[in-house]
Amino acid sequence: MVPGNAKNEGGGRVSSQLRKGVLEYCVLALLRHEPKYGVELLAELSAVSVMATSQGTIYPLLSRLRREGFVDTELRESPSGPPRRYYALTALGRTSLAEFTGAWPHFRNAVDHFLDDPQNDPQNDPQTDPRSGPQTDPRNDPQGDTA
């Protein structure tokens, strides 16, 4: 996968909608230890195929995060080419990431609750439930035929 080309992997409407919902927090998490520049963030996101995104998504997101005070920017000289804009997490960004980190397990568990299908749970299957005794089909039970 080429960084910045989200159409190759992790595609589909469901993945796209999920990615939109969490991308901001994944970017904040990637910035928690050190500042990074845009292409670096794209490469790290692309390392997990369902999180791969494009420059057309990441740069507007980074601009919004800067406007809202979640990240600060600084231009640094590059060993090759023009200076790079590095993004660093602010105190407000750390607070937002901490809130998301606390809420995520509860949200994930809530979604899992709805996705878990109790009808496919072996504990709810009368064929394997030891409390229900042996199961036989009455049409094939020679002792059940009274005619």
Side-chain angles (χ1 to χ4, degrees), residues 17-117:
Q17 292 299 313
L18 290 170
R19 183 175 39 252
K20 286 178 187 177
V22 299
L23 187 61
E24 170 180 332
Y25 299 101
C26 292
V27 168
L28 294 178
L30 289 172
L31 296 173
R32 94 181 104 204
H33 298 299
E34 64 183 351
K36 298 180 191 260
Y37 61 98
V39 172
E40 198 174 12
L41 291 166
L42 279 169
E44 289 190 39
L45 289 166
S46 294
V48 179
S49 65
V50 297
M51 292 309 299
T53 191
S54 68
Q55 290 183 10
T57 298
I58 196 74
Y59 286 109
L61 171 63
L62 289 167
S63 292
R64 182 176 59 79
L65 291 173
R66 184 171 43 99
R67 280 192 316 273
E68 293 176 355
F70 295 110
V71 299
D72 278 332
T73 62
E74 122 182 61
L75 282 177
R76 293 185 190 173
E77 289 300 319
S78 169
S80 61
R84 294 177 176 159
R85 182 175 305 276
Y86 279 77
Y87 298 85
L89 208 53
T90 63
L92 184 60
R94 288 188 189 287
T95 300
S96 180
L97 179 58
E99 288 174 5
F100 179 82
T101 301
W104 178 251
H106 303 292
F107 186 84
R108 181 189 60 229
N109 291 341
V111 172
D112 286 346
H113 169 78
F114 293 111
L115 294 179
D116 287 342
D117 186 357

